[in-house]
Amino acid sequence: MEDYGALRADFRRDGFIHVERFFDPGEAQELEANLTRFIREIVPRLPKAEAMYEDYGNPDSLKYIGHLGVWPYFADFLANSKVRELAETLLNEKVVPEGISFFNKPPRQGTPTPPHQDGFYFCIVPNEALTVWIPLDDVDEENGAIHYWKRSHRGGVLPHNASQVLGFSQGLAANAQASWGEETVCRVKRGDCLIHHSLMVHSAGPNSSHRTRRAIGVVYYGESAKIDPQAERRYQESVLMQQKSLLPTDR
């Protein structure tokens, strides 16, 4: 394992890092086993806004689970794992565990993720936060690799518009593209992790393969970050409007 302090310099410079073999095979298997149990035991009882599908008539098309932290294993993972230690080193301050979610692009069904900044969703000031993206499968261009725009985190919060994409309600406005920077495709292996700053511009392609593309996302806010109530209200209003138009009305 590389020195966390050395990783911080790369993170601050580029806005993201790729840590290879951060989790050993046993740790990855434990994550997957708990996720499988959660999907089997909890997901059928969740409202549509908390467990989203590419096709609500097809249980194999699950694309997003909003709050894995209701499961004790994931709550402890968020609060106490080595992921939190790494997050505090990269942000150079104590962190507040914010959430842990599941992201999936089912084989031949997974749709693209629009370019966006997580920090637009977070509505915090200062925008000091990060996301740890933990793949449970090997991921490349065929099954939906993440694309980062290197050093785009230096440009502040960029304009976003409603995307009409479930699970990713906001996408970068076309007039913000000049600020994105250099595009980098991140191919990762199971057991690796990607960590990106909240202002990092990123997207992901569709899953055009027959392989799965599952990942867990862990979010930490820097202790200095505070919610901007006006920005949060505007964001939530946009989310609710899109959900009304996109989510099925029957359960």
Side-chain angles (χ1 to χ4, degrees):
M1 178 63 207
E2 298 179 64
D3 176 64
Y4 284 178
L7 292 175
R8 180 168 61 201
D10 294 339
F11 177 77
R12 283 295 175 185
R13 183 188 67 238
D14 295 332
F16 74 96
I17 55 173
H18 175 189
V19 185
E20 298 180 355
R21 297 181 294 278
F22 187 69
F23 299 97
D24 65 37
E27 292 170 323
Q29 180 57 42
E30 188 175 23
L31 274 169
E32 182 174 9
N34 278 277
L35 175 64
T36 299
R37 286 188 60 196
F38 189 98
I39 292 172
R40 182 177 66 245
E41 299 177 21
I42 304 298
V43 164
R45 306 199 300 268
L46 293 177
K48 288 184 171 65
E50 292 298 324
M52 298 181 180
Y53 292 79
E54 296 283 359
D55 174 2
Y56 277 84
N58 179 2
D60 293 330
S61 71
L62 179 66
K63 67 176 293 182
Y64 173 77
I65 303 170
H67 297 290
L68 292 175
V70 300
W71 188 266
Y73 168 82
F74 288 115
D76 184 65
F77 183 88
L78 177 65
N80 300 310
S81 72
K82 62 184 180 181
V83 176
R84 180 174 184 167
E85 178 186 352
L86 175 56
E88 291 187 336
T89 299
L90 296 178
L91 288 178
N92 200 29
E93 62 174 318
K94 294 292 184 183
V95 297
V96 178
E98 176 57 25
I100 180 167
S101 305
F102 172 62
F103 299 94
N104 185 34
K105 291 185 184 292
R108 298 289 186 181
Q109 301 177 72
T111 53
T113 303
H116 67 282
Q117 294 170 303
D118 294 346
F120 186 89
Y121 296 69
F122 297 162
C123 305
I124 53 176
V125 180
N127 216 301
E128 284 297 319
L130 57 73
T131 299
V132 183
W133 197 82
I134 305 165
L136 296 176
D137 302 294
D138 295 353
V139 181
D140 54 30
E141 294 92 330
E142 247 194 356
N143 65 338
I146 287 186
H147 295 228
Y148 288 125
W149 276 264
K150 189 179 291 186
R151 305 181 186 178
S152 57
H153 66 303
R154 300 179 180 183
V157 179
L158 301 173
H160 286 62
N161 294 322
S163 69
Q164 298 300 314
V165 177
L166 277 176
F168 297 95
S169 64
Q170 308 294 317
L172 275 167
N175 62 3
Q177 293 184 14
S179 307
W180 292 7
E182 176 189 347
E183 184 176 5
T184 303
V185 180
C186 291
R187 304 167 189 87
V188 293
K189 299 288 188 182
R190 176 183 169 98
D192 294 356
C193 69
L194 296 170
I195 306 100
H196 59 261
H197 190 274
S198 54
L199 294 178
M200 190 73 200
V201 174
H202 61 289
S203 69
N207 185 354
S208 59
S209 76
H210 293 290
R211 295 175 287 138
T212 56
R213 191 277 210 182
R214 302 162 299 159
I216 290 172
V218 187
V219 173
Y220 295 97
Y221 291 175
E223 194 174 49
S224 61
K226 307 300 178 188
I227 295 291
D228 178 339
Q230 290 185 338
E232 184 181 43
R233 184 173 62 254
R234 289 193 300 268
Y235 167 66
Q236 291 298 337
E237 288 172 353
S238 176
V239 170
L240 289 173
M241 286 181 63
Q242 291 182 73
Q243 288 181 352
K244 285 180 181 178
S245 65
L246 294 172
L247 287 174
T249 55
D250 58 323
R251 183 63 183 162

